[in-house]
Structure formats: C-alpha cells, structure tokens
Amino acid sequence: MRKIKYKKGRKLQHITLEYTGIHKEHKTEMQLFVYNDADVVEYDKFTVLALNSCFDYTKNNWLNIHGLNDINLIKTIGTHFKLDDFLLADILNTTKRTKLEDQQDVLFFNIKSLLPSEYSDNISVEQLSFILKDGILISFQEKRSDFFTHIRERLRTHAGIVRTKKVDYLLYLLLDAVMENFYITLEDEEDKIEDLINLTKKDAKPVILEKIENHRDNLNFLKRSIVPLRDSLYYLKTKKDDDDDNGLIQKETFNFFIRLHQKSLELLDQIESDMSALESASNFYFSEQSRKMNEIMKTLTIISAIFIPLTFIVGVYGMNFENMPELKTQNGYFIVMGVMFLLVIALIIYFKKRRWF
C-alpha cells in the first residue's frame, strides 16, 4: 500500500458517487450478523436480494461490507436504508478527513485505519465508515481485513457483553479495534525512531536526515488522522447530558466513547513526545555534522599553522639576493632543513600540550 495524504486526493463534487481509493481490484462482499442475548445468525455470503428477508428489526443487525468498487450495490444499500447521497459520497471518497455527522435518525462515522507498512517506512491507510441506525449498524471497509475478527468471534461465542448490548456498543468495539491500530502504528514508529537515534549517535550519515524527515511526516500524518477523531469523540462526549438525545447511543454507552476520547488524547500526547525525540535526533545530527566540520577545520588549521613558518623560511631564502651569507655556507642546506624539522617538532609538541588535537 502507498501512503495516502489528504492534500493529494482528487477533488470531487459532494454528491459524486465514485470510489477514489486504491483497492479497486477487491470484489464487493457483504456479511450480516443478526444477534441478541439469546442467539446469533450469521450470513457470510449476504446479497442485496436478502435485504428484506434476513434483517430482524427486533434484534441487533450488523451489516459489514468489504470492498467499495460496486457503486450500484452501494446505491442500493443507500436507497434501502434511506441514506443521503452525501453520506454515500463520503463513504466512497477516501480522501475525506475523519468526521462525525449526526442526523435525526442516522449517526455517520468516518475514520482512517492506519498500520505500518511491511516493507517500507510508510503507513498503510484504509478508510472505514459506519452508519448507525435504530437496531442497525452498517460498516464499510475498502477491502477484507482482520480488524474485527476478534469481535466476530465474541459474537459467535457470546464472549463478553456485546450480545447483551445494543448496536451502539458494537460501534464502540469497532472504533476501539481501529484505534488499536493507531497504537500498533505508533509503537512501530517509536521503535524505528529509537533505532534511528542510536544510529545517529554512531554515524551521522546524510541518509539518516532523510529518514528523520520521513518519520516526521508519518507522525504528522498520524496526528492529522487522530485530531478530527478526537474532535468527533468529544462531540459524543458532550452529548452525554443532552436531554434532546435521539436515542441512537444509549446513556450507559456514552462512557465507553469517553474512553475512546481519552485514548485519542493519550495518542496525541505520545505523538508530541515522539516529535520531540525526532527533533532531538535532528539536532544531534546537525551537531555531529558541525563537530565533524570543526574537526576537519582544526586539522587543516594545524597543518596550515605548521607550514606558515616553513613557507616563510623558504620564501626568505628564495629571494636570490647576492649578499646572503647563508648561501655561501657549505652545509647551509642541511642546517636550514634541520631548523625546519625542529620547528615542526616544536610546533607539534606545543599544539599537543595545548590539547588542540
């Protein structure tokens, strides 16, 4: 997967129904869970022809859709459940930010799921969307993945309290599973940043600065994904004491969404800490580069300082005046060479004592 950035998304009209993601080879499939405390029925190969016959509105219904390439199927789902084209367009347009839209009888949630890329330092991105109606939760994924495998098993085996709750609690579990991916991604980034800092201390090569900038971009991308999620969860948090609540989220379920809001704050705090660590690594890189440059300049300066008096002596005896007594000396050449050698030794000893090298 390539890293998707919001600013590079294609501009579409708000009601244009066109899938803009990269998983265009994935076939659109559907899976339906109809459950309550007593039993659960699973339809693994669910089709639109069974929309009227398989849903049981006296129970909880979770329709999970993998793949967004079949636009006609998405339209059919939208028509059947009376969803606005604006919502369908937001589901298909993967360049949209995380958002929450609270309508009279529909709660729409759009979120990015981030995971570290297996073969590069980039981040793999998948958009997920959720439609919450009375007794119905519809989730949209760009491709089949294992984000919610453990939740399906909990439904099948009656583990935990998920089957005793309404679908709003199921929405909380799905969002919580997506947020776990943020933790996985952030932990992977932190491990890479720690290795990068250690590498910087050993040998500050130019490629390290490039990696530092790549990881800074990844952290900024994480932050841009989490901030709107935090704002959306804060909106749900403020609805807890709203007497005009439309009933899609039960009063007792709000506490779980408050936990998600707290998680988003923790993630943002950790990102800020990691950004500071990267900034320290960047500063250390430039400090190390300056230190190396200073060492080079010091070496060149010492060499220049040694050769300056030698150059002076050579210049004096290269003036070719007739009345220069030393030119008539039989061993003048060897004496001058000896003086120059002793002068070099004296300068080296002096510099060594001053600890200039």
Side-chain angles (χ1 to χ4, degrees):
M1 292 183 188
R2 63 182 176 86
K3 183 166 67 175
I4 302 174
K5 295 185 178 180
Y6 300 128
K7 63 181 180 181
K8 293 186 178 180
R10 293 203 307 115
K11 299 297 183 180
L12 297 176
Q13 295 296 324
H14 295 302
I15 58 174
T16 301
L17 300 184
E18 178 184 346
Y19 174 55
T20 62
I22 63 174
H23 306 288
K24 298 184 181 295
E25 73 282 359
H26 291 273
K27 182 182 178 182
T28 302
E29 299 175 341
M30 295 191 293
Q31 180 186 40
L32 175 66
F33 282 89
V34 180
Y35 66 94
N36 60 10
D37 191 17
D39 63 356
V40 59
V41 181
E42 179 180 354
Y43 302 91
D44 194 38
K45 299 295 182 180
F46 186 76
T47 64
V48 292
L49 299 177
L51 281 173
N52 292 319
S53 59
C54 293
F55 274 78
D56 186 347
Y57 296 100
T58 64
K59 299 180 180 180
N60 298 313
N61 302 268
W62 174 28
L63 177 62
N64 191 28
I65 300 174
H66 305 97
L68 303 178
N69 296 298
D70 193 337
I71 304 301
N72 291 328
L73 185 146
I74 301 298
K75 287 182 179 179
T76 302
I77 295 294
T79 302
H80 182 82
F81 292 103
K82 299 179 181 179
L83 303 177
D84 292 340
D85 286 345
F86 293 101
L87 296 184
L88 298 181
D90 286 342
I91 292 170
L92 295 171
N93 190 350
T94 60
T95 64
K96 292 289 187 178
R97 294 182 51 178
T98 295
K99 64 178 293 188
L100 171 69
E101 189 164 335
D102 188 6
Q103 299 182 358
Q104 184 175 2
D105 58 346
V106 173
L107 186 68
F108 172 73
F109 219 117
N110 195 349
I111 189 174
K112 305 290 182 184
S113 177
L114 309 181
L115 281 173
S117 183
E118 187 174 357
Y119 302 108
S120 69
D121 288 337
N122 289 340
I123 296 177
S124 301
V125 185
E126 180 184 348
Q127 177 170 287
L128 295 96
S129 303
F130 303 97
I131 297 289
L132 180 65
K133 292 174 68 71
D134 188 19
I136 301 172
L137 177 63
I138 309 174
S139 56
F140 299 85
Q141 298 179 246
E142 292 190 69
K143 62 183 181 66
R144 183 176 288 274
S145 57
D146 57 356
F147 298 158
F148 308 138
T149 300
H150 65 290
I151 299 176
R152 295 188 185 95
E153 286 302 315
R154 290 172 68 174
L155 286 171
R156 295 178 184 123
T157 60
H158 206 328
I161 61 174
V162 58
R163 278 173 47 182
T164 65
K165 296 286 187 179
K166 299 293 185 181
V167 287
D168 56 343
Y169 180 78
L170 178 61
L171 174 61
Y172 153 73
L173 290 179
L174 300 182
L175 292 175
D176 186 59
V178 174
M179 291 192 70
E180 284 301 315
N181 293 340
F182 285 110
Y183 281 102
I184 294 173
T185 305
L186 191 55
E187 287 176 3
D188 181 78
E189 283 295 312
E190 288 174 347
D191 291 339
K192 292 177 179 178
I193 290 172
E194 184 177 355
D195 294 338
L196 194 58
I197 292 174
N198 293 332
L199 187 60
T200 304
K201 293 178 180 179
K202 292 179 181 178
D203 188 7
K205 296 180 179 179
V207 68
I208 293 179
L209 185 61
E210 181 180 351
K211 289 186 176 182
I212 288 175
E213 293 303 317
N214 287 339
H215 288 294
R216 183 178 283 111
D217 288 342
N218 287 345
L219 291 177
N220 282 324
F221 185 73
L222 272 166
K223 186 175 181 179
R224 292 200 307 271
S225 300
I226 297 174
V227 165
L229 174 62
R230 176 204 62 188
D231 296 339
S232 299
L233 292 170
Y234 180 77
Y235 170 78
L236 290 179
K237 179 181 177 181
T238 59
K239 282 176 61 66
K240 181 178 180 181
D241 300 322
D242 188 357
D243 294 333
D244 297 329
D245 180 27
N246 57 23
L248 290 176
I249 298 180
Q250 304 295 311
K251 290 291 185 181
E252 62 271 15
T253 311
F254 276 109
N255 291 328
F256 296 104
F257 287 97
I258 292 174
R259 293 181 187 178
L260 294 183
H261 179 258
Q262 185 62 36
K263 282 187 175 182
S264 68
L265 296 178
E266 293 173 358
L267 285 167
L268 290 173
D269 288 342
Q270 191 59 44
I271 288 175
E272 291 298 328
S273 175
D274 294 337
M275 291 286 281
S276 298
L278 269 183
E279 189 67 27
S280 298
S282 180
N283 292 336
F284 186 87
Y285 170 83
F286 287 112
S287 298
E288 185 65 15
Q289 291 296 99
S290 298
R291 187 192 67 81
K292 286 184 176 181
M293 182 60 69
N294 290 336
E295 288 293 327
I296 293 173
M297 294 303 298
K298 182 172 69 173
T299 301
L300 294 176
T301 301
I302 290 174
I303 293 175
S304 299
I306 290 174
F307 275 91
I308 284 174
L310 302 182
T311 304
F312 172 75
I313 294 173
V314 171
V316 168
Y317 289 102
M319 290 186 293
N320 296 322
F321 289 114
E322 290 187 4
N323 296 322
M324 292 183 69
E326 294 86 355
L327 296 178
K328 307 294 184 178
T329 305
Q330 183 177 0
N331 297 319
Y333 170 77
F334 300 103
I335 293 173
V336 171
M337 293 298 294
V339 170
M340 293 170 67
F341 177 76
L342 292 175
L343 182 60
V344 169
I345 297 299
L347 287 173
I348 291 175
I349 293 174
Y350 176 76
F351 293 152
K352 193 72 174 178
K353 284 187 175 181
R354 297 297 299 269
R355 296 182 180 180
W356 289 355
F357 68 93

